[in-house]
Amino acid sequence: MTLYHCSLTLHDNVFFATREMGILYETEKYLHNWALSYALFEATYIPKPYRLKGALAQRPSYLEDPETHEQSLQILNRVGIYVFPAQPLTWSYQVNTFKAAQVSYYGKSKQFGDKGANRNYPINYGRAKELAVGSHYRAFLVAASEIQIAKTQWIRLGKWSAKIRVEMTAIPDTWMQSKSGEYICQHPLNPLDLPASNRLLLYNRIVMPPVSLVSQAQLSGDYWQIRRPSGERNNNDSELDGLQIEGICLPKGMFYGASSTVNVS
């Protein structure tokens, strides 16, 4: 098993409607780990269908049986891959105004002065609060040792398929200390992916679809702590020091749907 630090830099505005408040559609500052998983491994491990029809097109298959749903995240469980949510390090927002399409089931344009259009602007428009270009994020990825992970990747994410640069850095095994007991995880987590060996005690809830995340969580169970071994240095230590990851704790044994499904091996 190899743990990777993922440094993400936004090269386009990223938008997804976390909250809808009237005409304002707001994007949460965290990036969901399920979305990152599809962005990183779709068309390599997760098949990308040409077209979906009927019920399959309307129902997500995040944790469905991979034998019947080829886009299930449990396919990554089989090959030993897990992606943690992305934590914002530096971020900013940009608010853009858009005009909605003229469709009968949503609304139709009205002349100014008509009923429901007594304002000096069209009623079928909205504002999107998007994560701005240059925002910087941190995530972690766990992969089986035999899987080759490219050091630099470009992915697409969000409603606008925004371009994001991902820099991968492998963390040496000597930096990972196995521990057990109560600990605080500063990195955001997906509670549905927590194994039975870990129990949530206290946390802050991050409300976002399709599954709310937790941050600043206090847990009890088995975990990894990233820490430099005393009296040991190598050529990669300067790069690792720049990531500022020392002291971060991550739960062991994370996999997709751990709290609601049986692991597929």
Side-chain angles (χ1 to χ4, degrees), residues 164-180:
I164 299 176
R165 181 184 175 93
V166 184
E167 296 283 347
M168 303 281 192
T169 304
I171 300 175
D173 293 341
T174 55
W175 279 59
M176 298 172 58
Q177 301 179 7
S178 179
K179 296 186 177 183
S180 183

Side-chain angles (χ1 to χ4, degrees), residues 17-255:
T18 308
R19 286 174 288 275
E20 301 181 11
M21 299 167 286
I23 61 173
L24 177 63
Y25 301 84
E26 184 177 10
T27 304
E28 177 58 61
K29 64 182 178 180
Y30 292 88
L31 302 181
H32 205 285
N33 68 314
W34 288 1
L36 288 174
S37 301
Y38 284 111
L40 286 166
F41 297 107
E42 192 172 47
T44 52
Y45 291 101
I46 302 175
K48 189 172 183 178
Y50 178 74
R51 182 175 63 179
L52 294 174
K53 297 193 303 182
L56 291 178
Q58 303 298 324
R59 178 183 175 184
S61 57
Y62 305 117
L63 302 177
E64 300 291 344
D65 186 356
E67 298 295 337
T68 56
H69 295 76
E70 61 181 0
Q71 282 202 298
S72 172
L73 287 170
Q74 291 200 48
I75 294 174
L76 297 181
N77 290 342
R78 290 179 167 180
V79 296
I81 292 175
Y82 182 77
V83 182
F84 286 83
Q87 178 183 23
L89 301 179
T90 58
W91 73 98
S92 59
Y93 282 103
Q94 180 176 334
V95 179
N96 294 319
T97 301
F98 64 88
K99 190 171 185 294
Q102 302 297 328
V103 290
S104 58
Y105 61 82
Y106 183 83
K108 60 181 180 180
S109 61
K110 298 181 180 181
Q111 294 181 352
F112 298 138
D114 285 355
K115 183 178 180 180
N118 54 350
R119 293 167 290 183
N120 61 344
Y121 53 83
I123 63 173
N124 55 329
Y125 85 106
R127 290 193 173 99
K129 186 177 180 182
E130 306 170 352
L131 291 165
V133 173
S135 299
H136 188 62
Y137 285 78
R138 164 195 290 155
F140 292 95
L141 184 152
V142 178
S145 301
E146 64 272 13
I147 294 178
Q148 299 296 321
I149 302 293
K151 184 175 177 60
T152 302
Q153 300 185 37
W154 290 90
I155 61 174
R156 297 279 183 175
L157 194 69
K159 184 70 173 179
W160 313 142
S161 295
K163 185 164 59 176
I164 299 176
R165 181 184 175 93
V166 184
E167 296 283 347
M168 303 281 192
T169 304
I171 300 175
D173 293 341
T174 55
W175 279 59
M176 298 172 58
Q177 301 179 7
S178 179
K179 296 186 177 183
S180 183
E182 289 192 8
Y183 64 99
I184 295 177
C185 180
Q186 303 289 348
H187 195 80
L189 301 172
N190 187 332
L192 281 191
D193 299 339
L194 275 173
S197 60
N198 273 266
R199 185 164 61 93
L200 273 172
L201 303 176
L202 296 171
Y203 57 88
N204 293 330
R205 187 180 180 189
I206 306 167
V207 180
M208 60 186 305
V211 177
S212 295
L213 305 178
V214 296
S215 67
Q216 307 293 323
Q218 182 178 351
L219 303 98
S220 176
D222 302 327
Y223 65 98
W224 297 105
Q225 185 177 45
I226 304 174
R227 189 170 298 280
R228 178 206 300 276
S230 57
E232 188 175 316
R233 294 193 66 86
N234 56 52
N235 296 333
N236 295 328
D237 280 356
S238 58
E239 181 181 6
L240 294 171
D241 289 340
L243 300 177
Q244 300 180 352
I245 57 176
E246 191 165 357
I248 291 179
C249 298
L250 296 172
K252 296 173 65 174
M254 297 283 287
F255 64 90

